[in-house]
Amino acid sequence: MQTIMRETEKLLETLGYVEEPMGLFFTDQQPEGGYHPKENTPLTREREEAGQIDFAGMRDKWSCILGHIRLARKKRDTAWFAADHYGCMGGSFFAGFTNPALERNAYFVSTGIPGSGQRGERYMPSPEAMHVFLADCDAGPAPAKYCVVKPLSLFTEGEEPLVILFFARPEALFGLTALLWFTTGKTDSIAFPFGAGCTNIISWPLRFMRDGEDKAVLGAADLSCRKFMQPDEMSLAIPLDLYRRMLAAVPESALPDKSWDEVRKKAARSAAVWGKTEK
């Protein structure tokens, strides 16, 4: 990790971007401290079908995975999630703690829970469309008890991220995507699929990795997670192996050239308007 951190610092300097990326991984060891959702009853399809889940009673414990990650970003600390600390029913599935997904999720994100009288989120047109999406992005059960997200510099010896997470506005993102295309030589090496904020930093990257697809994932277009992002900010999730190759490709890429220097000036202007994230 020390080599990755040194090369990452050089990349951030080139990009004119000051926020350290986060790393996501799974472990069976519960992190000490950090930010996490309230403890809640684990969710399973079996308990849902048996009518054993009190959704109304659990509502005051709902929270967003991106909200906890946002706090970890601000405080340079750890965010973690588990089968009994998942935030919401979607987050529990997208982090791999509920598998298969609850049937209720297909209705909640689309047309609404039957008989509830409540309007659904309308992010998908029908439960059937949601079923297709949930099957497509399913990366399988979580590989360990805890999903952990923390700054790369906080990784200790023996820890290694599965996915590198950048949270940035377009100018810095365009530098990263230019580097990504140069690294892979593939026009489809960035995916921008439908999903919740946590889907695009956990489920989709892990699903592409499982299937051997060399892709980074752009995200944070979910309307419900936008409150936890800075203005114009998006996420970019990059598998570790691909990120290592990107770091090695920097010297021969366009980033050291004049074309990037011109864009970097716009990053500085963006920082003057929004502040803090970019130089």
Side-chain angles (χ1 to χ4, degrees):
M1 283 302 296
Q2 290 182 353
T3 300
I4 289 178
M5 275 307 305
R6 286 196 300 269
E7 296 303 312
T8 295
E9 289 170 0
K10 294 177 184 178
L11 174 60
L12 296 178
E13 177 62 30
T14 299
L15 292 173
Y17 180 75
V18 298
E19 183 177 335
E20 179 183 348
M22 310 285 278
L24 181 147
F25 70 110
F26 287 83
T27 178
D28 285 324
Q29 183 174 348
Q30 181 174 335
E32 295 183 6
Y35 298 96
H36 55 83
K38 295 179 181 179
E39 185 174 1
N40 213 339
T41 305
L43 301 174
T44 67
R45 177 74 72 81
E46 292 76 17
R47 293 186 65 245
E48 179 189 36
E49 292 175 348
Q52 296 174 347
I53 302 177
D54 178 14
F55 288 103
M58 301 166 73
R59 194 169 300 154
D60 65 338
K61 296 181 179 180
W62 289 145
S63 60
C64 179
I65 283 179
L66 266 290
H68 297 285
I69 292 176
R70 175 64 182 152
L71 288 171
R73 290 171 56 199
K74 291 176 66 175
K75 302 296 184 180
R76 292 196 70 258
D77 203 342
T78 299
W80 61 266
F81 314 94
D84 55 356
H85 292 80
Y86 46 84
C88 73
M89 62 178 170
S92 185
F93 170 70
F94 297 128
F97 299 120
T98 299
N99 195 280
L102 299 186
E103 181 68 11
R104 185 183 185 91
N105 208 27
Y107 289 87
F108 178 77
V109 181
S110 60
T111 56
I113 310 299
S116 70
Q118 294 182 341
R119 180 181 172 88
E121 289 184 313
R122 304 299 169 116
Y123 294 162
M124 271 286 171
S126 66
E128 292 73 23
M130 273 297 294
H131 287 142
V132 173
F133 156 66
L134 292 169
D136 283 348
C137 75
D138 186 359
K145 292 182 179 179
Y146 301 96
C147 176
V148 181
V149 179
K150 62 183 179 180
L152 289 185
S153 62
L154 297 187
F155 276 71
T156 59
E157 186 176 354
E159 291 182 338
E160 190 172 83
L162 285 171
V163 181
I164 308 297
L165 304 175
F166 282 86
F167 297 91
R169 289 188 289 274
E171 307 306 340
L173 282 176
F174 294 158
L176 288 167
T177 55
L179 176 59
L180 178 60
W181 284 316
F182 178 79
T183 300
T184 64
K186 299 176 181 178
T187 58
D188 63 346
S189 52
I190 302 170
F192 189 18
F194 171 80
C198 56
T199 319
N200 289 35
I201 64 172
I202 308 176
S203 306
W204 280 119
L206 295 183
R207 207 280 281 168
F208 290 135
M209 291 168 65
R210 182 200 68 191
D211 293 350
E213 298 186 55
D214 209 16
K215 292 182 185 291
V217 181
L218 189 64
D222 171 24
L223 302 186
S224 295
C225 86
R226 289 306 305 171
K227 68 181 77 173
F228 304 112
M229 307 294 290
Q230 293 191 52
D232 301 329
E233 187 177 64
M234 300 196 73
S235 65
L236 184 66
I238 309 171
L240 178 61
D241 178 65
L242 178 54
Y243 183 63
R244 283 191 169 118
R245 288 156 48 206
M246 289 171 64
L247 291 174
V250 170
E252 299 302 321
S253 74
L255 292 186
D257 296 340
K258 184 177 180 180
S259 55
W260 171 247
D261 286 341
E262 293 300 315
V263 181
R264 197 178 188 279
K265 293 176 183 177
K266 295 192 71 175
R269 285 158 54 192
S270 175
V273 174
W274 300 119
K276 296 184 180 180
T277 299
E278 295 159 354
K279 291 181 181 177

